[in-house]
Amino acid sequence: MENTPAQTAIQAVGLRKSYGDTVVLDGIDLEVARGTIFALLGPNGAGKTTTVQILSTLIGADGGDVRVAGRDPAADPDGVRRAIGVTGQYSAVDDLLTGRENLILMADLYRLGRAEGRRVADALLERFGLAEAARRTAATYSGGMRRRLDLAMTLVGGPRIIFLDEPTTGLDPRSRRTMWDIIRGLAADGVTIFLTTQYLEEADRLADRIAVLDRGRLVAEGTADELKRLVPGGHVLLRFAGPDALDAAARALGDAVRDDAELTLQVPSDGGVRSLRALLARLEEVAVEPEGLSVHLPDLDDVFLALTGRPDDAKAAVR
Amino acid sequence: MTATPHVLTDSATMLRRNLRHALRYPSMTVVSIGMPVLLLLLFVGVFGGALGEGVGATAREGGYIDYIAPGIILMAVTSGCLSVSVAVSVDMTAGITARFRTMPIARSAILTGHVAGTMIQTVASTLLVVLVAVAMGFRPHAGPLDWLLVSALLLALVFALTWLAVGLGLVAKNPEGASNSPLLIQFLPFLGSAIVPTGTMPDGVRWFAEYQPFTPITETVRGLLTGTPIGHDGWTSAAWCTVIALAGYLWSRWLFDRDPSR
Ligand SMILES: Nc1ncnc2c1ncn2[C@@H]1O[C@H](COP(=O)(O)OP(=O)(O)OP(=O)(O)O)[C@@H](O)[C@H]1O
Ligand SMILES: [Mg+2]
């Protein structure tokens, strides 16, 4: 994707960052076109937050060339800050202030003026479903409400580029969907969105382009469809009562991955009813009954397995 | 265009935020008023008889409260200032400072807001403690000029200690740590001439007491308010305040301006 500088909201070339001997970002290239949603996908410790922190002027990089809104965060941090809004991974609201006071604090810092600041604050409270809770301190908010207040605070200054570091981690499915709608709404207004996530599904639903980050390196970049083509299909996991049954099934099924310790077979499958029926019929022929069966459709684990050759342990633990 | 013209507006915004915190959760303020008042009650009401005889030589006709009140006022100043460490540490460890740092605001406003807020609170709590002391029988015989000098010295001390406490809050790893380190400073007036004259102390402690900053400051405040001799303690106090203020300010700014990832 070739963009002229005017169309590029965020660009990084050869971005590097180390903490002591630990290399956290090992030469990352990114390009985010204006008005698009870009997802940086990766497991715990991949370097997502570090990337956001560098792009949003919070910390310095060790190397590489970065442009955000056409400016270099290292040389002209205030220029970048005037164009961006950041919702970090961890809540950045003032617990001791009410929701409304938090927003007015932002409005004052953006110097919107008294009347305009209050108007913007009230409009955001309404838009984010926080009007009822506007006069309670943020300490009393639920996780979903805090996240929404956090994002609302980010929007007070009317940023053209927004960074969202794991905006839905820890939210229940309903709050997650609300957050997705909000993010789509922002994109529809022409705001550029750079978000990080651990969920392929989230990147899939929201992003125009996705980059997969693993241990400080980008292992893939493209649209959701392009990425999915890199991933093998799903599989069916069969569990057997004993080694004899496992042997018999393995012989009958041919191209299956066998795990003797767990007594399981992993058989490639699209997970459809028809192929499941065929699979079970084949086992029936050799008179083997699996003890358990589960269907796995491609997810981040598979993307990781395919792209890095190892399973994404961290994420498996999260699910 | 730089952010410099906004230093004042942004500092005022941050100050409003900190004062709102203090009004909503006044526990820190209550402690910084309550502790000196409690000590005053304890030392004057309970131990006053015995201690008063101990300082008999230096105490004038006003009795022990005239000797101890200046020291207690200094404790009010100290505990007021040091409360900022926790507030700063809470801010630094919560995400809100990261948010401020990515906004186009004057960065110094974050610390300036804390310092200004703490100074206002400390001035108010110190005034209250002075009133309580007077209500308990403290009778300063100071002229307007003496009061002015005391106010100036105490303000300088408040400014200096607050910046020092901001630095302590910035180096602390968490708010618990930030509430511990200032305790040492809070204890310093006791190891000076706040409660009893340094001459009555064992040698090692006396040596420390005579050279630490709170002794000349206590002596100056006591001298200005109750007429005891000041000597060059006045200038020593001014020098200490300047040094602490400068060191505290530069240290805090350096800590705050460091790349948070270092
Ligand atoms: N201040 C720091 N000092 C030392 N190491 C750090 C620091 N911050 C991050 N790291 C290390 O850098 C690596 C990447 O961290 P980062 O927070 O960017 O990952 P992430 O992709 O955001 O992970 P998560 O999904 O857990 O939020 C990790 O190994 C982490 O331990
Ligand atoms: Mg992170």
Side-chain angles (χ1 to χ4, degrees):
Chain A
M1 190 163 70
E2 284 294 310
N3 289 309
T4 64
Q7 292 168 322
T8 305
I10 303 167
Q11 188 177 35
V13 179
L15 187 59
R16 318 181 65 83
K17 177 78 182 177
S18 305
Y19 284 108
D21 292 337
T22 319
V23 178
V24 177
L25 296 179
D26 194 6
I28 288 191
D29 300 337
L30 294 170
E31 183 162 327
V32 182
R34 266 194 193 197
T36 63
I37 303 183
F38 182 92
L40 188 61
L41 181 67
N44 288 134
K48 303 183 295 295
T49 297
T50 308
T51 307
V52 169
Q53 287 175 334
I54 293 172
L55 296 178
S56 63
T57 77
L58 191 58
I59 65 175
D62 295 339
D65 197 35
V66 179
R67 290 283 177 281
V68 176
R71 294 158 199 272
D72 178 353
D76 181 12
D78 272 329
V80 173
R81 287 172 192 148
R82 272 192 286 274
I84 65 169
V86 188
T87 302
Q89 180 169 358
Y90 303 104
S91 159
V93 307
D94 187 332
D95 272 334
L96 306 186
L97 299 184
T98 67
R100 188 164 185 267
E101 286 167 346
N102 264 294
L103 291 166
I104 291 174
L105 172 67
M106 292 298 116
D108 288 345
L109 290 173
Y110 281 108
R111 295 174 280 272
L112 297 188
R114 207 183 144 80
E116 173 69 0
R118 275 150 183 73
R119 197 190 61 72
V120 169
D122 290 331
L124 282 167
L125 287 166
E126 198 61 50
R127 174 172 165 199
F128 283 66
L130 293 169
E132 301 264 293
R135 281 166 207 286
R136 277 201 278 135
T137 54
T140 67
Y141 282 18
S142 73
M145 292 163 77
R146 288 176 81 80
R147 212 64 193 138
R148 276 179 279 146
L149 176 59
D150 218 336
L151 181 53
M153 287 167 74
T154 302
L155 299 182
V156 170
R160 302 309 297 158
I161 302 175
I162 294 178
F163 294 93
L164 302 170
D165 195 358
E166 299 197 20
T168 68
T169 300
L171 297 189
D172 66 26
R174 193 165 148 263
S175 305
R176 172 167 301 173
R177 209 142 306 132
T178 310
M179 191 56 86
W180 285 351
D181 289 340
I182 291 170
I183 294 170
R184 284 197 199 97
L186 289 170
D189 293 342
V191 176
T192 307
I193 292 169
F194 185 108
L195 66 88
T196 76
T197 179
Q198 306 192 24
Y199 306 108
L200 180 66
E201 185 199 1
E202 180 160 292
D204 191 1
R205 296 270 189 107
L206 290 177
D208 298 303
R209 291 188 78 78
I210 301 169
V212 183
L213 186 65
D214 177 48
R215 298 198 253 187
R217 289 170 179 277
L218 284 188
V219 290
E221 209 264 343
T223 64
D225 286 339
E226 284 167 356
L227 284 186
K228 278 188 207 152
R229 259 176 256 139
L230 299 172
V231 182
H235 63 261
V236 172
L237 193 70
L238 299 164
R239 192 185 350 271
F240 297 93
D244 296 342
L246 181 65
D247 276 340
R251 270 195 305 278
L253 295 176
D255 65 336
V257 181
R258 160 177 186 158
D259 184 334
D260 282 294
E262 296 281 320
L263 296 173
T264 58
L265 276 182
Q266 188 176 314
V267 189
S269 164
D270 62 6
V273 173
R274 185 185 292 258
S275 60
L276 280 179
R277 198 175 281 144
L279 177 69
L280 292 174
R282 239 167 40 242
L283 289 174
E284 187 114 46
E285 280 166 24
V286 292
V288 178
E289 174 124 357
E291 204 180 47
L293 174 153
S294 53
V295 177
H296 292 258
L297 293 175
D299 62 6
L300 186 60
D301 291 340
D302 303 289
V303 177
F304 263 80
L305 198 54
L307 294 173
T308 68
R310 65 184 167 82
D312 169 17
D313 306 325
K315 162 103 180 331
V318 168
R319 275 267 161 99
Chain B
M1 202 180 87
T2 66
T4 327
H6 304 309
V7 169
L8 285 182
T9 355
D10 291 349
S11 299
T13 303
M14 292 297 182
L15 171 62
R16 274 202 302 280
R17 165 175 182 256
N18 291 317
L19 289 180
R20 182 163 274 149
H21 283 179
L23 287 176
R24 194 158 292 164
Y25 299 90
S27 61
M28 283 303 224
T29 322
V30 169
V31 168
S32 56
I33 296 169
M35 202 197 59
V37 167
L38 212 69
L39 286 175
L40 200 59
L41 287 172
L42 198 68
F43 282 113
V44 174
V46 183
F47 310 137
L51 289 168
E53 272 166 35
V55 301
T58 44
R60 302 171 138 247
E61 64 280 6
Y64 185 55
I65 193 162
D66 276 359
Y67 181 82
I68 196 183
I72 295 290
I73 290 168
L74 279 181
M75 281 173 202
V77 165
T78 317
S79 58
C81 297
L82 293 173
S83 66
V84 79
S85 296
V86 174
V88 166
S89 180
V90 166
D91 262 9
M92 296 301 290
T93 45
I96 192 92
T97 301
R99 179 185 284 288
F100 291 148
R101 283 179 193 268
T102 59
M103 290 173 64
I105 60 174
R107 290 191 139 199
S108 58
I110 300 170
L111 295 186
T112 318
H114 272 297
V115 169
T118 305
M119 288 185 71
I120 291 173
Q121 282 167 255
T122 305
V123 167
S125 60
T126 306
L127 273 175
L128 251 161
V129 169
V130 171
L131 290 179
V132 171
V134 168
M136 285 178 64
F138 177 44
R139 291 289 170 267
H141 24 83
L145 183 66
D146 297 327
W147 279 111
L148 205 70
L149 285 173
V150 167
S151 309
L153 175 61
L154 291 184
L155 265 181
L157 182 65
V158 169
F159 181 79
L161 284 181
T162 303
W163 274 110
L164 183 68
V166 166
L168 290 173
L170 289 172
V171 280
K173 295 225 160 35
N174 50 47
E176 289 74 41
S179 70
N180 291 335
S181 45
L183 285 179
L184 287 173
I185 300 178
Q186 207 139 346
F187 202 62
L188 279 182
F190 289 94
L191 290 177
S193 56
I195 309 294
V196 291
T198 56
T200 64
M201 299 174 174
D203 280 352
V205 184
R206 190 181 67 209
W207 185 87
F208 176 78
E210 276 169 7
Y211 288 97
Q212 64 121 328
F214 279 97
T215 303
I217 296 172
T218 310
E219 289 306 312
T220 308
V221 173
R222 184 177 288 138
L224 289 169
L225 291 184
T226 67
T228 53
I230 297 175
H232 41 56
D233 279 339
W235 291 112
T236 317
S237 304
W240 269 118
C241 288
T242 312
V243 168
I244 297 172
L246 213 63
Y249 173 78
L250 293 175
W251 184 45
S252 299
R253 285 303 300 265
W254 176 75
L255 287 170
F256 188 74
D257 290 342
R258 276 188 310 184
D259 188 318
S261 70
R262 330 182 254 299

